[in-house]
Amino acid sequence: MQSAKSVVALDILKDVFGYSVFRGEQEQIINQVVSGQDALVLMPTGGGKSLCYQIPSIIRPGTGIVVSPLIALMQDQVSALRLQGVSVAFLNSTLSFQNVQEIEAQLLRDELDLLYIAPERLCQPRTLNLLQQTDIALFAIDEAHCVSQWGHDFRPEYIQLSILHEQFPDVPRIALTATADETTRNEIAYRLNLSEAQLFISSFDRPNIRYRVKQKKNARQQLLQFISSEHPQEAGIVYCLSRKKVDDTASWLLAQGIKALPYHAGMDAVLRQRHQQQFLMEDGIVIVATIAFGMGIDKPDVRYVAHMDLPKSIEAYYQETGRAGRDGLPADAWMVYGLQDVIMLRQMLSKSEAEEKIKQLEHRKLEAMLGFCEIIACRRASLLSYFGEQPEKSCGNCDNCLEPVESWDGTIEAQKALSCIFRTEQRFGVNYLIDVLLGKLTSRIEQFGHARVSTFGIGTELSEVQWRSVFRQLMARGLIEVDVDGFGSLKLTEDSRPILRGEASVFFRKDIGQDKKISKRKKMGKWARDFSAQPEDKALWDALRARRKDLALQHGVPAYIIFHDATLMEMVVSHPTNHKELSEISGIGASKLEKYGDEFLAVLNTADLDLSF
Ligand code: ADP
Ligand code: ZN
């Protein structure tokens, strides 16, 4: 039997948020906090962390105080909650003094379900004083990993949040993060005084994201092909390593008719902000960015994240790709990767002037990333086991599962490549070495007299492209290293000896020749987004999106705050014709039903009329 608490929580889930069932451990977490106890919640991006403190704040007497480091995110959540009929406000530096006073008065009159506060503001004596006079339902500490001094998002203000426990010992606290590793988790528990809190760890799997790594050929063309054939007019993020490449790629895409905008730290701040805003508010914008972009981007309908360069670690890759598909609908993590990426990253690492210990760590992380690119087995399984989970062997939703890759015994070829490096005295780069293997009599080869070495012309069984694949994989596995001389000359490593001596064999991944598109998108959940069979559905979908866009403009909020794509898609599929049927659709709570129900029913009913002709 369900407890009374669960019933109340479920009612709120339905009435306010319009969802019918809890996801994962949401219900247990909510019960824990509602009953006045602390919780530490580790859940992946898009997992549904917000409801875990929003619902208890509504149920418990008093106001839920939410600490959140990002002002943009705060505003987003507050606009969304208001449309859902929740009484909510935020306190941050963007408000006028008069606004602040009004909100403080509301707080004292206990009119707010939730109040979002920036951490530095919370710890000011004025705020603490105010809170002492307030009835507090709970403290939620969002992005709790910001407390970790070793993490990438460290915020000194977060350290002070231990005050909360000292000054308000009876108020339950819930800390939430999408950062999974154990060190960070322990640091959160320690710094925030949460060692007694119940720990809730969800799987970090993002089943709706499809992972794909392609061999880099003509990266831009590949990107264009990917966007225009799989995600026309949809929102996406394209990551590049350098600012220059961001600018070049964005303007090139624009010239090809894709609505692409650049974003990087070297840009004028106002322009950068405008691009971010456009990405959030308008439909179908592609943002081309360095990794400076992303933190605090909570847009749920990002349909893909494309990497034009290799990230430095699996952690970074997972975090960046995690920005796709927060709404649970199918999304792509797409990357192109090639020999040059390996060479460049290897060089960057050897040149790095970091402390030896840090260098070694960076090195290991890069190894893991390269391993992920070259793997023949399931990519999701490899990611999840990297994060300490024990996943299924194959997921059915990554390139390697969908189009199994073959491997081939390349022991002989590896020996040829390695001995070619050795015979030319470890002084040449990959292009030169391939020319020697193929027996090309170039002027440089003549000049160095390498037409006479024993490896000249011994590799004609492979093409140049295939040799590049061999060199890339040898390098990815640490069997070859790149010199720091700046010319990219290749050298043997300790590990390559057993292969040269014939004591070990090597298997390579057979790179897939063409840029084959994985044709049939496996149906996922209720919404396959393939309209080709029913053009009238496409027309309805477009009409619903247009109405949503009008409403979003009217209210000055991003379209997804009115309704998510998933909600519109369900309208297309189930064709509601009245308020009751509309209310059964996921994502439509009582408040939104009242505000927008008629607007959307009008679209749905007109579509019916059109079809009857
Ligand atoms: P996180 O903060 O963990 O990244 P959010 O709280 O933003 O995730 O939730 C991600 C998305 O999932 C949101 O669009 C949210 O409305 C939706 N969501 C959360 N819980 C549920 C649920 N029980 N049923 C359906 N959708 C949900
Ligand atoms: Zn897989």
Side-chain angles (χ1 to χ4, degrees), residues 337-361:
Y337 149 86
L339 180 59
Q340 279 312 317
D341 292 286
V342 192
I343 296 182
M344 199 174 76
L345 277 169
R346 286 252 186 252
Q347 276 180 326
M348 252 165 60
L349 262 188
S350 5
K351 275 190 208 149
S352 149
E353 282 171 12
E355 218 179 295
E356 196 51 37
K357 242 171 77 184
I358 296 181
K359 247 167 101 163
Q360 272 176 16
L361 184 74

Side-chain angles (χ1 to χ4, degrees), residues 316-585:
Y317 173 75
Y318 207 64
Q319 192 179 45
E320 286 151 25
T321 54
R323 293 178 184 133
R326 292 174 84 111
D327 54 9
L329 292 181
D332 279 299
W334 182 95
M335 175 159 83
V336 283
Y337 149 86
L339 180 59
Q340 279 312 317
D341 292 286
V342 192
I343 296 182
M344 199 174 76
L345 277 169
R346 286 252 186 252
Q347 276 180 326
M348 252 165 60
L349 262 188
S350 5
K351 275 190 208 149
S352 149
E353 282 171 12
E355 218 179 295
E356 196 51 37
K357 242 171 77 184
I358 296 181
K359 247 167 101 163
Q360 272 176 16
L361 184 74
E362 286 176 345
H363 198 78
R364 275 207 304 279
K365 295 201 163 188
L366 177 61
E367 294 305 327
M369 189 65 224
L370 290 173
F372 170 78
C373 293
E374 300 287 357
I375 195 176
I376 291 173
C378 174
R379 297 209 195 265
R380 185 182 316 276
S382 139
L383 289 169
L384 292 175
S385 52
Y386 183 82
F387 293 118
E389 293 186 30
Q390 275 116 34
E392 302 275 327
K393 273 211 168 60
S394 76
C395 73
N397 195 29
C398 72
D399 51 1
N400 289 350
C401 284
L402 290 162
E403 278 191 298
V405 187
E406 288 171 51
S407 61
W408 58 286
D409 184 344
T411 311
I412 307 260
E413 286 71 14
Q415 284 170 343
K416 288 181 179 176
L418 295 170
S419 76
C420 190
I421 295 175
F422 184 71
R423 296 284 165 207
T424 53
E425 294 154 31
Q426 316 196 60
R427 283 170 43 217
F428 294 88
V430 66
N431 294 331
Y432 187 89
L433 293 163
I434 292 176
D435 283 347
V436 173
L437 284 163
L438 292 175
K440 285 194 192 163
L441 212 52
T442 65
S443 54
R444 284 186 79 211
I445 289 183
E446 280 198 272
Q447 181 194 340
F448 291 108
H450 285 148
R452 291 191 300 277
V453 297
S454 59
T455 50
F456 184 75
I458 59 161
T460 48
E461 73 275 30
L462 298 186
S463 68
E464 185 192 324
V465 172
Q466 288 168 321
W467 275 117
R468 291 181 82 80
S469 164
V470 166
F471 276 100
R472 185 194 78 234
Q473 298 189 53
L474 287 171
M475 214 175 304
R477 292 182 205 183
L479 297 167
I480 299 179
E481 63 188 11
V482 191
D483 203 35
V484 282
D485 59 9
F487 299 108
S489 42
L490 303 184
K491 295 195 170 347
L492 303 180
T493 64
E494 258 327 285
D495 292 345
S496 57
R497 285 170 197 274
I499 292 159
L500 271 172
R501 287 198 299 256
E503 293 160 10
S505 49
V506 192
F507 279 83
F508 290 121
R509 180 191 162 94
K510 197 179 260 177
D511 289 340
I512 294 175
Q514 301 96 17
D515 223 346
K516 262 196 288 180
K517 192 176 127 195
I518 296 176
S519 50
K520 270 211 183 112
R521 197 166 246 290
K522 229 182 76 192
K523 281 203 174 182
M524 302 178 72
K526 275 184 273 182
W527 313 287
R529 297 167 345 98
D530 185 3
F531 290 115
S532 48
Q534 274 131 344
E536 65 275 16
D537 281 357
K538 171 79 167 78
L540 178 55
W541 168 246
D542 288 340
L544 291 169
R545 296 227 306 178
R547 179 57 51 96
R548 178 178 69 174
K549 189 175 174 186
D550 291 344
L551 289 169
L553 280 175
Q554 257 175 47
H555 292 267
V557 295
Y560 58 81
I561 287 196
I562 306 283
F563 284 131
H564 279 185
D565 283 357
T567 302
L568 297 192
M569 193 54 76
E570 216 180 315
M571 288 186 202
V572 173
V573 173
S574 67
H575 242 277
T577 51
N578 54 41
H579 274 226
K580 164 124 199 342
E581 286 169 11
L582 203 54
S583 74
E584 280 156 17
I585 285 182

